[in-house]
Amino acid sequence: MKPQLLKVNNSNVQSFSVRNDIVPQNHNLWHYHEELELIHFEKGAGTQFIGDSVNNFSSGDIVLVGPNLPHYWLFDSHYLDGPNPEPADIRVAHFKENFLGEQFFNLPENHKIKNLFKKSKRGIQLNRSILKSAQSLIEKLLKSQNSTKIIALIEVLTLISESEEYHLLSSENYPIDRQDLDFGRMNVIMEYITQHYRTHIRLEDIASMTGMTTNSFCRYFKAKSGKTLFQYLIEMRIGYACRLLAERTLNVKQICFESGFQNFVSFHKYFKDATGYTPLQYQREISRNY
């Protein structure tokens, strides 16, 4: 994974881009770009990293990522590995804040969309209540041409901005000034963590990979992510445990150790602190909602 500022391929004959991917492609790269990104996972699942937030994503999810906010989606292994990986289905649009000119979103009628753009700098996850309506509009956006494509994008942005049925992902103080983001070093860290978070990670090992002492690494990671490495690992492990609980293929004790926890009592404590439920209560709640 080469860290980089991604250049979105917009042709000279369109003001923004929309595409349909069946392979994760750049979704599996810790990256950022100056365009906003509206992404719908028609089919796909894994772990989502946006700024300093770590969450699961699954089929049906829709996310709006603001300009220069680092992000990537680590798809589950069956979408990536083996000779015949399972195909994903991803619909993604990239557009600049001024894709309709410098003044369009400054019009008083568009103040809610303008505010949505500001909030997108923390990453926006749509709530389940509007997913179906938003999915239909994104499908329309994907299939539209010429002026109707512009109208479809305005429609989906209007739906999100006026419903306010979403929640923000990254913390308020997360830095998005790309000059302040050390992507090379952070990419090494993120790559190592995502490959090893379900095993024992030694602070000394990850610090040495980045050429820092353990104390320097701890200060650096906290400054960049707003969390300690320990807190970050707990979030990732809890997120993975939630997905396993929803799948109902393993018992709770198996899920504890499969998620990277070494102690069953600690797993219960951290899980309840993060979710407000015990693992079994969470599993029952998930079953009730689906």
Side-chain angles (χ1 to χ4, degrees):
M1 291 193 346
K2 183 179 179 181
Q4 59 181 314
L5 164 65
L6 287 188
K7 293 293 186 182
V8 177
N9 291 324
N10 284 324
S11 75
N12 293 328
V13 296
Q14 59 183 16
S15 57
F16 64 95
S17 69
V18 186
R19 69 173 193 267
N20 186 191
D21 294 338
I22 59 171
V23 179
Q25 296 185 13
N26 288 329
H27 307 295
N28 274 46
L29 170 70
W30 179 242
H31 68 283
Y32 67 106
H33 38 69
E34 60 181 331
E35 294 83 3
L36 289 90
E37 177 173 317
L38 178 66
I39 185 166
H40 168 216
F41 299 97
E42 175 70 20
K43 182 181 179 184
T47 305
Q48 169 180 286
F49 302 83
I50 297 181
D52 60 0
S53 72
V54 183
N55 300 286
N56 293 328
F57 73 92
S58 57
S59 298
D61 284 354
I62 298 175
V63 178
L64 178 63
V65 181
N68 300 321
L69 177 62
H71 55 282
Y72 97 96
W73 287 271
L74 177 64
F75 280 72
D76 287 341
S77 58
H78 57 275
Y79 291 101
L80 303 170
D81 300 335
N84 296 298
E86 185 176 346
D89 188 351
I90 308 150
R91 292 91 189 278
V92 58
H94 291 102
F95 56 95
K96 294 183 179 179
E97 291 183 83
N98 64 349
F99 79 98
L100 289 176
E102 296 296 336
Q103 298 304 317
F104 182 77
F105 289 110
N106 290 325
L107 295 173
E109 293 84 355
N110 292 326
H111 73 279
K112 287 189 176 181
I113 297 180
K114 182 77 170 180
N115 190 45
L116 181 72
F117 288 171
K118 291 179 182 177
K119 291 180 179 180
S120 75
K121 294 178 180 179
R122 291 177 58 187
I124 289 173
Q125 181 101 34
L126 271 61
N127 295 343
R128 188 167 300 277
S129 56
I130 65 164
L131 283 181
K132 189 173 182 179
S133 298
Q135 288 166 5
S136 296
L137 290 173
I138 291 173
E139 187 69 18
K140 176 182 175 182
L141 171 64
L142 185 66
K143 295 178 178 179
S144 296
Q145 298 292 328
N146 304 320
S147 298
T148 56
K149 185 168 75 168
I150 294 174
I151 293 169
L153 180 55
I154 295 297
E155 284 181 326
V156 69
L157 293 174
T158 300
L159 170 71
I160 299 168
S161 65
E162 293 189 348
S163 69
E164 297 187 352
E165 289 294 326
Y166 55 78
H167 57 277
L168 305 182
L169 294 168
S170 190
S171 60
E172 190 171 1
N173 60 352
Y174 185 79
I176 60 169
D177 179 359
R178 65 186 180 207
Q179 300 302 323
D180 186 52
L181 293 168
D182 182 355
F183 279 90
R185 184 172 284 176
M186 279 302 292
N187 187 72
V188 171
I189 294 168
M190 293 292 292
E191 173 77 353
Y192 186 83
I193 290 174
T194 53
Q195 288 184 1
H196 297 90
Y197 73 92
R198 286 182 283 162
T199 63
H200 178 63
I201 291 182
R202 295 177 68 248
L203 180 61
E204 295 82 359
D205 292 340
I206 195 167
S208 66
M209 290 176 57
T210 59
M212 290 185 280
T213 65
T214 55
N215 287 339
S216 296
F217 171 81
C218 288
R219 288 193 299 270
Y220 173 82
F221 191 84
K222 181 69 180 293
K224 291 296 182 184
S225 70
K227 303 169 186 177
T228 66
L229 176 64
F230 179 76
Q231 291 170 328
Y232 202 81
L233 287 172
I234 291 296
E235 283 191 8
M236 291 194 68
R237 289 166 179 166
I238 293 297
Y240 187 67
C242 287
R243 186 156 73 249
L244 294 179
L245 286 165
E247 292 172 357
R248 306 179 72 88
T249 56
L250 301 173
N251 64 45
V252 173
K253 184 165 285 189
Q254 289 172 317
I255 289 171
C256 162
F257 296 108
E258 181 68 20
S259 302
F261 290 94
Q262 304 300 312
N263 182 288
F264 193 56
V265 174
S266 295
F267 170 61
H268 264 263
K269 177 185 182 300
Y270 291 126
F271 193 94
K272 190 165 186 180
D273 287 346
T275 67
Y277 299 99
T278 67
L280 282 175
Q281 287 172 338
Y282 179 87
Q283 194 171 57
R284 285 196 293 269
E285 189 70 18
I286 287 292
S287 298
R288 191 177 299 117
N289 293 331
Y290 285 88

